[in-house]
Every structure is written in structure tokens, then in C-alpha cells.
């Protein structure tokens, strides 16, 4: 595994639609492992492949306490409720905003073993998954933010999704 470089906030890959992963090849497995390592290194709550310059539909999520989740070609099947919380992004350092997200989602994806799985997520986990899937559409949290935080409001507590 290796820590990879995050592309800069200006990189056009962050605005591209990522492509579906049709075959889980060895390089895709390595990519997912590297995404996990990179996310943990930067203490992010999640990471999407485009953030490493790779426009493919893969995301990873940090569940805390060393637990992580890999989702290939994730799709949100159902969503309900709305919660507004402060969000940030590893690709946009130094900015935070209040972003509305669905409170509950059902997501379907492939795991690294090429098995389809479905999961329910709520609260923060649902938020992270929605944020990362947005990255696969070239959407950044600033596009959805109702309000950006003032510099005085931005303290070290900001989480990096
Ligand atoms: Co992000």
C-alpha cells in the first residue's frame, strides 16, 4: 500500500464524471488499498478516486477505530430526511460549509471481492457516503452548501470528508 498525492483543488478531474469500473483488476484493488491508506494518513472521513486524479467510481469511508469501507460503483437506491451539518473536504483545505444531506440512505455497491452488497446508512455515515458519491459526479460540497463558515467560525474541529 502507498500514500498517494491528492490533486489540487483546481484540478479538472474534480469536476469530471467518473467512469464505472467494469472489471475489478489488480490495479483497482491496489487503488482501493491506497485510497484507504491515503484517507487515514490525511485523517479524512472518506475519499473518492478522483481526489487522487483517477476518474473511476470508487470511494472509501473511514468508520473509525481502524475500520474502513470500500465501495465500487456505489449507487444510492433510497434516501429520506434532511439534516444540515458542517462539512469540509480534503480537496478543499481551509473551507467549511453547512450542507444539507439526506438523513438516511440505502446504498448499493460492489466490494473489493466483486460482490454486490446493500447497506443502510444514517447520520454522519450517510453524509460521508453522499459527499463521496458527489465526487464521482464532479460535485463538491461547496456546490451544495447553504452557507460557508466565516474564518472565525473555522476552528480545528473541522472534519475532512
Ligand atoms: Co471531499
Amino acid at each position: 500500500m502507498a500514500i498517494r498525492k491528492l490533486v489540487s483543488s483546481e484540478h479538472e478531474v474534480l469536476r469530471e464524471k467518473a467512469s464505472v469500473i467494469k472489471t475489478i483488476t489488480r490495479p483497482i484493488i491496489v487503488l482501493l488499498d491506497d485510497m484507504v491508506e491515503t484517507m487515514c494518513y490525511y485523517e479524512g472521513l472518506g475519499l473518492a478516486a478522483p481526489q487522487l486524479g483517477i476518474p473511476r467510481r470508487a470511494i472509501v469511508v473511514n468508520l473509525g477505530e481502524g475500520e474502513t469501507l470500500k465501495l465500487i460503483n456505489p449507487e444510492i437506491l433510497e434516501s429520506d430526511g434532511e439534516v444540515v451539518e458542517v462539512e469540509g473536504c480534503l480537496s478543499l483545505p481551509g473551507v467549511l460549509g453547512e450542507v444539507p444531506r439526506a438523513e438516511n440512505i440505502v446504498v448499493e455497491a460492489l466490494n473489493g471481492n466483486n460482490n454486490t452488497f446493500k447497506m443502510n446508512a444514517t447520520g454522519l455515515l450517510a453524509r460521508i457516503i453522499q459527499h463521496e458519491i458527489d465526487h464521482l459526479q464532479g460535485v463538491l460540497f461547496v456546490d451544495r452548501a447553504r452557507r460557508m463558515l466565516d474564518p472565525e467560525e473555522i476552528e480545528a474541529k473541522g472534519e475532512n470528508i
Side-chain angles (χ1 to χ4, degrees), residues 18-38:
S19 61
V20 169
I21 294 169
K22 293 193 177 125
T23 315
I24 300 179
T25 56
R26 179 72 195 149
I28 293 292
I29 299 290
V30 172
L31 169 65
L32 282 157
D33 286 345
D34 288 354
M35 286 170 66
V36 166
E37 189 164 346
T38 304

Side-chain angles (χ1 to χ4, degrees), residues 45-48 59-63 69 71 74-76 87 101-102 105-109 117 119-136 161:
L45 297 176
L47 192 72
I59 67 173
V60 294
V61 176
N62 199 340
L63 300 172
L69 203 59
L71 297 97
E75 296 286 346
I76 293 172
E87 240 174 71
R101 298 283 186 191
I105 60 170
V106 179
V107 62
E108 186 176 74
F117 68 101
M119 63 178 280
N120 296 289
T122 190
L124 178 61
L125 179 57
R127 175 170 296 274
I128 297 168
I129 292 170
Q130 290 171 83
H131 176 115
E132 302 312 333
I133 291 177
D134 269 356
H135 273 299
L136 306 182
I161 295 181

Side-chain angles (χ1 to χ4, degrees), residues 16 22 24 26 32 38 42 45 51 70-71 86-87 90 96 111 115 129 133 149 154-155 159:
E16 283 175 27
K22 293 193 177 125
I24 300 179
R26 179 72 195 149
L32 282 157
T38 304
Y42 288 107
L45 297 176
Q51 295 180 274
K70 296 169 180 171
L71 297 97
V86 173
E87 240 174 71
L90 286 177
L96 296 174
N111 65 18
N115 295 317
I129 292 170
I133 291 177
L149 268 58
I154 299 175
E155 296 171 13
E159 305 265 32

